[in-house]
PDB file of all heavy atoms in Angstrom:
ATOM      1  N   VAL R  47     -42.648 -90.733 -40.961  1.00 97.00           N
ATOM      2  CA  VAL R  47     -41.712 -91.297 -41.877  1.00 97.00           C
ATOM      3  C   VAL R  47     -40.738 -90.269 -42.398  1.00 97.00           C
ATOM      4  O   VAL R  47     -39.494 -90.563 -42.487  1.00 97.00           O
ATOM      5  CB  VAL R  47     -42.483 -91.903 -43.165  1.00 97.00           C
ATOM      6  CG1 VAL R  47     -41.528 -92.337 -44.319  1.00 97.00           C
ATOM      7  CG2 VAL R  47     -43.436 -93.135 -42.707  1.00 97.00           C
ATOM      8  N   ALA R  48     -41.193 -89.128 -42.668  1.00 97.00           N
ATOM      9  CA  ALA R  48     -40.242 -87.999 -43.141  1.00 97.00           C
ATOM     10  C   ALA R  48     -39.260 -87.693 -41.994  1.00 97.00           C
ATOM     11  O   ALA R  48     -38.018 -87.496 -42.276  1.00 97.00           O
ATOM     12  CB  ALA R  48     -41.085 -86.798 -43.491  1.00 97.00           C
ATOM     13  N   ALA R  49     -39.745 -87.714 -40.811  1.00 96.00           N
ATOM     14  CA  ALA R  49     -38.781 -87.379 -39.621  1.00 96.00           C
ATOM     15  C   ALA R  49     -37.736 -88.503 -39.584  1.00 96.00           C
ATOM     16  O   ALA R  49     -36.538 -88.237 -39.332  1.00 96.00           O
ATOM     17  CB  ALA R  49     -39.548 -87.290 -38.379  1.00 96.00           C
ATOM     18  N   GLY R  50     -38.157 -89.742 -39.740  1.00 95.00           N
ATOM     19  CA  GLY R  50     -37.179 -90.763 -39.730  1.00 95.00           C
ATOM     20  C   GLY R  50     -36.160 -90.716 -40.799  1.00 95.00           C
ATOM     21  O   GLY R  50     -34.896 -90.864 -40.569  1.00 95.00           O
ATOM     22  N   LYS R  51     -36.571 -90.261 -41.994  1.00 95.00           N
ATOM     23  CA  LYS R  51     -35.623 -90.099 -43.116  1.00 95.00           C
ATOM     24  C   LYS R  51     -34.632 -88.979 -42.791  1.00 95.00           C
ATOM     25  O   LYS R  51     -33.494 -89.007 -43.155  1.00 95.00           O
ATOM     26  CB  LYS R  51     -36.347 -89.848 -44.455  1.00 95.00           C
ATOM     27  CG  LYS R  51     -37.143 -91.030 -44.941  1.00 95.00           C
ATOM     28  CD  LYS R  51     -37.883 -90.805 -46.164  1.00 95.00           C
ATOM     29  CE  LYS R  51     -38.584 -92.069 -46.750  1.00 95.00           C
ATOM     30  NZ  LYS R  51     -39.315 -91.874 -47.952  1.00 95.00           N
ATOM     31  N   VAL R  52     -35.170 -87.897 -42.242  1.00 96.00           N
ATOM     32  CA  VAL R  52     -34.243 -86.710 -41.929  1.00 96.00           C
ATOM     33  C   VAL R  52     -33.287 -87.170 -40.860  1.00 96.00           C
ATOM     34  O   VAL R  52     -32.043 -86.821 -41.013  1.00 96.00           O
ATOM     35  CB  VAL R  52     -35.092 -85.566 -41.351  1.00 96.00           C
ATOM     36  CG1 VAL R  52     -34.211 -84.496 -40.675  1.00 96.00           C
ATOM     37  CG2 VAL R  52     -35.957 -84.972 -42.421  1.00 96.00           C
ATOM     38  N   LYS R  53     -33.676 -87.953 -39.823  1.00 94.00           N
ATOM     39  CA  LYS R  53     -32.722 -88.491 -38.819  1.00 94.00           C
ATOM     40  C   LYS R  53     -31.630 -89.313 -39.560  1.00 94.00           C
ATOM     41  O   LYS R  53     -30.491 -89.150 -39.094  1.00 94.00           O
ATOM     42  CB  LYS R  53     -33.454 -89.294 -37.796  1.00 94.00           C
ATOM     43  CG  LYS R  53     -34.255 -88.417 -36.800  1.00 94.00           C
ATOM     44  CD  LYS R  53     -34.902 -89.317 -35.815  1.00 94.00           C
ATOM     45  CE  LYS R  53     -35.790 -88.519 -34.793  1.00 94.00           C
ATOM     46  NZ  LYS R  53     -36.496 -89.361 -33.859  1.00 94.00           N
ATOM     47  N   ASP R  54     -32.016 -90.165 -40.533  1.00 94.00           N
ATOM     48  CA  ASP R  54     -31.026 -90.928 -41.234  1.00 94.00           C
ATOM     49  C   ASP R  54     -29.992 -90.093 -41.908  1.00 94.00           C
ATOM     50  O   ASP R  54     -28.800 -90.359 -41.930  1.00 94.00           O
ATOM     51  CB  ASP R  54     -31.737 -91.863 -42.298  1.00 94.00           C
ATOM     52  CG  ASP R  54     -32.358 -93.113 -41.627  1.00 94.00           C
ATOM     53  OD1 ASP R  54     -32.011 -93.420 -40.555  1.00 94.00           O
ATOM     54  OD2 ASP R  54     -33.191 -93.766 -42.339  1.00 94.00           O
ATOM     55  N   LYS R  55     -30.492 -88.993 -42.597  1.00 93.00           N
ATOM     56  CA  LYS R  55     -29.598 -88.190 -43.297  1.00 93.00           C
ATOM     57  C   LYS R  55     -28.684 -87.369 -42.377  1.00 93.00           C
ATOM     58  O   LYS R  55     -27.478 -87.252 -42.642  1.00 93.00           O
ATOM     59  CB  LYS R  55     -30.322 -87.160 -44.185  1.00 93.00           C
ATOM     60  CG  LYS R  55     -31.065 -87.812 -45.361  1.00 93.00           C
ATOM     61  CD  LYS R  55     -31.514 -86.927 -46.430  1.00 93.00           C
ATOM     62  CE  LYS R  55     -32.233 -87.572 -47.487  1.00 93.00           C
ATOM     63  NZ  LYS R  55     -31.409 -88.147 -48.539  1.00 93.00           N
ATOM     64  N   LEU R  56     -29.265 -86.897 -41.277  1.00 93.00           N
ATOM     65  CA  LEU R  56     -28.440 -86.159 -40.285  1.00 93.00           C
ATOM     66  C   LEU R  56     -27.309 -87.144 -39.721  1.00 93.00           C
ATOM     67  O   LEU R  56     -26.139 -86.713 -39.607  1.00 93.00           O
ATOM     68  CB  LEU R  56     -29.254 -85.657 -39.178  1.00 93.00           C
ATOM     69  CG  LEU R  56     -30.001 -84.407 -39.524  1.00 93.00           C
ATOM     70  CD1 LEU R  56     -31.018 -84.042 -38.381  1.00 93.00           C
ATOM     71  CD2 LEU R  56     -29.179 -83.249 -39.808  1.00 93.00           C
ATOM     72  N   LYS R  57     -27.664 -88.321 -39.412  1.00 89.00           N
ATOM     73  CA  LYS R  57     -26.769 -89.284 -38.902  1.00 89.00           C
ATOM     74  C   LYS R  57     -25.651 -89.596 -39.947  1.00 89.00           C
ATOM     75  O   LYS R  57     -24.392 -89.634 -39.595  1.00 89.00           O
ATOM     76  CB  LYS R  57     -27.353 -90.612 -38.455  1.00 89.00           C
ATOM     77  CG  LYS R  57     -26.438 -91.664 -37.821  1.00 89.00           C
ATOM     78  CD  LYS R  57     -27.155 -92.890 -37.411  1.00 89.00           C
ATOM     79  CE  LYS R  57     -26.244 -93.874 -36.782  1.00 89.00           C
ATOM     80  NZ  LYS R  57     -24.949 -94.105 -37.293  1.00 89.00           N
ATOM     81  N   GLY R  58     -26.050 -89.730 -41.138  1.00 88.00           N
ATOM     82  CA  GLY R  58     -25.038 -89.877 -42.247  1.00 88.00           C
ATOM     83  C   GLY R  58     -24.076 -88.818 -42.408  1.00 88.00           C
ATOM     84  O   GLY R  58     -22.927 -88.966 -42.542  1.00 88.00           O
TER      85      GLY R  58
END
Side-chain angles (χ1 to χ4, degrees):
V47 171
K51 289 179 181 179
V52 167
K53 286 180 182 179
D54 281 343
K55 289 198 185 276
L56 285 173
K57 185 180 180 316

